Amino acid sequence: MNVLTKFDLSNNIALVTGGAGLLGVQHCEALLEAGSEIIILDIDMKALERCEKIFMSKYNKKVFTVCADITKEDEIQSAKEKIYEKFNAYPSILINNAAIDAKYETNNKINKTRLEDFDLAQWNIEISVGLSGAFLCSKHFGAEMAKMNKGVILNISSDLGIIAPSQFLYEDAELDSEKQTVKPVTYSVIKHGLIGLTRYISTYWAKNGVRCNAMAPGGAFNNHDKKFTDELSKLIPMGRMADVDEYKATIVYLCSNASSYMNGAVISIDGGRTAW
């Protein structure tokens, strides 16, 4: 067998949560280019409509979209029904990508990111999307994979699921120390938690032919502030942030038979940041 055929995802159905976001779209493109049917699940209906146009224009392919809130179990169950009605099958690939990512903003006037000021309600919202949502999707779609005796669950963690944030990256020289913006505690907890979820699932359903791995990407450049980009790049041996399309090949690898003996692994793709 030609080794390249192992990357072929034909006859697969892939579900990507948060698939209408910056990297979510890239994940969907990668899977589509490898031959998989794509289901984009997102809470943002306008973003989903935008994705439909993008994929039709770029690939002449109509993708199936589902608008749902993954923090609500009944909406996940409803999404399952819609997917089965469409494909007469359940996904064989699940990418838990949805998250609320606190963006670095230089003009942040009201600072609620610091640990001592972080609101419990915000904690609950972010955990419910990034961690509970991944649990619920894995629970419902992973159980169907186990019945089929095949499937892949890929959790999107982060380099900050392995190391702590370098908070000096967010410092503003004009602000007192107690007013400085920081990467919030929720981001680290969620991304570390996804690695724990990965290892749990990888052993739980292994006998049913379901593999579960995690990808820990570094930051992808998305018109970030130059000062922030320059400072972050100093922490990366390769000296730069990722381009948005640099994770696509790894997505295909982790979701395909090319990684058939990989289970419970965490793949760091961060330009070497976590090697230092």
Side-chain angles (χ1 to χ4, degrees):
M1 178 185 291
N2 187 315
V3 69
L4 293 180
T5 63
K6 290 181 174 286
F7 293 87
D8 183 12
L9 289 175
S10 299
N11 302 316
N12 280 275
I13 301 169
L15 170 63
V16 182
T17 70
L22 177 70
L23 289 182
V25 170
Q26 297 293 321
H27 302 337
C28 290
E29 285 191 359
L31 297 169
L32 181 64
E33 289 169 7
S36 179
E37 292 287 343
I38 302 298
I39 303 162
I40 305 176
L41 188 151
D42 206 287
I43 198 171
D44 188 337
M45 178 60 81
K46 289 184 178 179
L48 286 171
E49 292 172 352
R50 191 162 58 248
C51 281
E52 289 177 351
K53 294 177 181 177
I54 290 171
F55 278 85
M56 182 57 71
S57 173
K58 190 170 182 178
Y59 298 99
N60 195 30
K61 173 78 174 180
K62 183 173 177 58
V63 296
F64 188 62
T65 60
V66 180
C67 188
D69 182 347
I70 61 169
T71 69
K72 298 177 180 176
E73 194 161 11
D74 60 334
E75 293 198 23
I76 294 174
Q77 291 172 320
S78 177
K80 268 184 68 178
E81 293 169 4
K82 291 175 183 176
I83 290 167
Y84 193 84
E85 183 179 343
K86 168 68 176 178
F87 295 98
N88 197 34
Y90 293 110
S92 52
I93 297 168
L94 167 65
I95 299 183
N96 285 313
N97 172 74
I100 297 174
D101 185 8
K103 302 297 183 183
Y104 169 63
E105 296 180 1
T106 56
N107 60 350
N108 186 15
K109 300 301 182 184
I110 302 175
N111 192 345
K112 295 291 186 180
T113 61
R114 298 188 66 80
L115 182 60
E116 55 268 43
D117 300 317
F118 202 81
D119 190 74
L120 178 60
Q122 187 65 25
W123 165 281
N124 288 335
I125 290 169
E126 295 184 20
I127 295 290
S128 69
V129 175
L131 198 50
S132 300
F135 152 67
L136 289 172
C137 288
S138 298
K139 169 185 172 180
H140 286 279
F141 292 104
E144 298 300 336
M145 292 177 189
K147 292 175 186 176
M148 297 187 293
N149 291 308
K150 67 172 185 177
V152 173
I153 297 173
L154 176 58
N155 294 319
I156 306 300
S157 182
S158 167
D159 54 355
L160 298 186
I162 298 171
I163 58 175
S166 300
Q167 302 292 13
F168 73 86
L169 291 170
Y170 313 99
E171 288 180 355
D172 184 335
E174 297 181 0
L175 295 176
D176 295 335
S177 60
E178 68 274 9
K179 295 181 180 179
Q180 294 290 343
T181 297
V182 297
K183 193 75 170 180
V185 61
T186 40
Y187 191 83
S188 287
V189 169
I190 290 164
K191 296 306 184 181
H192 278 77
L194 285 172
I195 291 174
L197 180 65
T198 296
R199 289 176 172 147
Y200 185 94
I201 293 173
S202 71
T203 58
Y204 189 81
W205 279 320
K207 65 183 182 298
N208 301 99
V210 179
R211 297 187 295 116
C212 184
N213 294 295
M215 185 172 81
F221 181 72
N222 185 29
N223 298 316
H224 289 80
D225 174 83
K226 186 178 186 304
K227 179 179 178 295
F228 172 81
T229 304
D230 289 346
E231 289 300 311
L232 177 56
S233 296
K234 293 175 184 177
L235 301 177
I236 302 170
M238 290 182 68
R240 64 177 178 85
M241 297 180 71
D243 295 330
V244 293
D245 64 351
E246 286 193 282
Y247 302 117
K248 292 173 71 172
T250 305
I251 291 289
V252 174
Y253 169 69
L254 290 171
C255 292
S256 70
N257 286 331
S259 60
S260 58
Y261 197 56
M262 182 173 286
N263 189 35
V266 182
I267 304 299
S268 297
I269 312 176
D270 57 13
R273 183 180 181 186
T274 54
W276 262 345

